[in-house]
Amino acid sequence: MDISQEKMISFIGTDQNTLFTIPDGGNVVITHSSGEQYFMRCRYVDEKHVEMDGTQHSFHQLAATAAEAGTTIAPDPTPEFNAGCRIVARKPAEDLFIVLAHNPRSPTPWVTWQAGRDTPTDYYWGVYRAERVDAVADLDRRARSATRGIPYDTGNTNDKQIRFIDPQYKTLFTIPDGGSIVISYPDGEERVAECKHLDECHTAVDGDCYHICQFAEIMQRCGATYEPETAPVFVDGYHLVRAKSERGQTIFLGHKPGAEMPWVTWQAGQGAVTRIRDGHYYSKKYDARMAFDRRTFAVRDGRPYVPHVPEDGTGKQPKDVGVPE
């Protein structure tokens, strides 16, 4: 697209002069005299109006309101993200910052965190909500609690949050109880692991119990990295929970709770998730993981893969139906 034809959003002052311009889809930060900040994504409407995080405003009214309230509006060229969530508000409260963030792809898309004034991006204690109105209420209540020096009551939300740290014991991110992380290994394998809160220092990762320090140290020793699963991938209703690429092919392991055969392995050209083929289905996770490993080794060694048959006495060959392109 010709840059000269790109729609530009122009913000004005009370004197009607242009303060600054940003491209359509750009971001601004609104800062109040109290230090409270709101980070908003903007969409071009017309020469007199802009849509900010879904709400339409006139430039004239924005300028008048900002002047009356003593707030400033400025471009925000580098929006801040944490654990896949875009920071949309930051509120100072005594020696803390309380932040509000949003991830539209999450089942609980709104979250509030807090951070120390001396470590403003080291977020911890995430409280997750399904509705924005509840999260905004959390933002205000948490700030009031910090200002008054009283404990914050999370109310009816599940405040069991799982904290992950790095080997230096610094918090990397938090996820809600029952959330998942993606573990990436040096050999290119990726594994999605479901996590359960046990206590403040222990979590179950795919059923195995770890102290959070122990988990960080193990990941460091094997050269793996880990992050929240922010965009789960599903194929034919199966959640892809493991993937390994060898010789231009990728082997997948999928899971669909409640299905007659809840586990499956597939194969596809590298990067071609929508063209997976040769589905081998299993009733037990053990058999599916065995099939995944054997299938990966066969591709790596350049030999035909003989489908794994469960050793459960039935001798039943798993159905092989594949997924159409």
Side-chain angles (χ1 to χ4, degrees):
M1 182 178 68
D2 185 353
I3 297 297
S4 63
Q5 296 179 351
E6 184 177 6
K7 293 178 179 178
M8 302 298 292
I9 303 171
S10 297
F11 287 82
I12 61 174
T14 53
D15 57 3
Q16 306 302 305
N17 290 326
T18 299
L19 296 176
F20 61 88
T21 61
I22 61 172
D24 185 20
N27 298 271
V28 297
V29 53
I30 299 176
T31 304
H32 295 258
S33 57
S34 63
E36 194 170 341
Q37 293 181 308
Y38 292 87
F39 306 87
M40 297 190 173
R41 190 164 288 164
C42 303
R43 297 293 180 187
Y44 179 90
V45 177
D46 57 37
E47 292 183 355
K48 295 183 178 181
H49 297 85
V50 63
E51 182 183 284
M52 302 171 68
D53 273 358
T55 303
Q56 192 172 129
H57 303 269
S58 76
F59 293 113
H60 175 75
Q61 186 61 45
L62 278 174
T65 302
E68 182 179 350
T71 62
T72 61
I73 304 177
D76 182 31
T78 54
E80 182 185 351
F81 287 80
N82 182 61
C85 301
R86 178 172 67 94
I87 305 301
V88 297
R90 187 193 307 276
K91 198 165 188 174
E94 294 299 317
D95 59 346
L96 296 176
F97 281 114
I98 313 298
V99 300
L100 172 67
H102 183 225
N103 178 2
R105 294 177 293 186
S106 170
T108 49
W110 295 95
V111 57
T112 57
W113 283 297
Q114 63 189 49
R117 290 284 190 111
D118 54 344
T119 54
T121 60
D122 189 6
Y123 303 120
Y124 63 96
W125 192 17
V127 177
Y128 294 77
R129 297 285 195 174
E131 300 295 336
R132 176 176 182 144
V133 63
D134 295 323
V136 171
D138 283 337
L139 178 73
D140 293 335
R141 284 198 298 265
R142 292 183 77 157
R144 285 198 300 269
S145 295
T147 300
R148 296 171 183 172
I150 60 175
Y152 167 63
D153 181 5
T154 59
N156 61 1
T157 188
N158 174 13
D159 65 341
K160 292 182 178 179
Q161 304 298 318
I162 303 171
R163 183 166 65 101
F164 286 88
I165 63 175
D166 64 15
Q168 286 70 48
Y169 313 113
K170 177 182 177 181
T171 299
L172 293 175
F173 57 86
T174 59
I175 62 173
D177 184 23
S180 298
I181 60 173
V182 179
I183 304 174
S184 301
Y185 296 93
D187 62 359
E189 181 177 346
E190 289 192 347
R191 177 166 69 96
V192 177
E194 184 177 352
C195 304
K196 296 292 185 183
H197 179 277
L198 300 178
D199 58 36
E200 291 300 316
C201 295
H202 297 84
T203 183
V205 180
D206 267 357
D208 296 323
C209 177
Y210 296 93
H211 189 282
I212 57 174
C213 298
Q214 175 196 23
F215 183 81
E217 292 165 357
I218 291 174
M219 293 293 100
Q220 182 185 44
R221 284 200 298 271
C222 65
T225 60
Y226 43 100
E227 60 184 9
E229 186 193 31
T230 57
V233 179
F234 290 84
V235 174
D236 197 30
Y238 284 79
H239 180 195
L240 300 186
V241 297
R242 197 172 174 187
K244 180 71 179 293
S245 295
E246 295 282 358
R247 299 167 66 98
Q249 295 289 309
T250 302
I251 310 303
F252 295 98
L253 175 66
H255 183 220
K256 185 178 182 180
E260 179 184 358
M261 304 284 262
W263 295 93
V264 61
T265 64
W266 277 305
Q267 186 171 334
Q270 196 164 335
V273 178
T274 59
R275 298 182 181 179
I276 58 177
R277 64 182 188 276
D278 301 333
H280 299 289
Y281 293 75
Y282 299 89
S283 59
K284 297 179 181 178
K285 182 178 182 179
Y286 170 83
D287 291 314
R289 293 180 65 173
M290 180 74 71
F292 177 89
D293 291 337
R294 291 184 178 180
R295 198 164 187 172
T296 301
F297 296 151
V299 173
R300 184 193 63 188
D301 298 340
R303 54 182 171 80
Y305 168 61
V306 178
H308 168 65
V309 178
E311 298 178 358
D312 56 5
T314 64
K316 181 179 179 182
Q317 178 70 30
K319 59 180 179 177
D320 181 4
V321 297
V323 171
E325 297 182 12

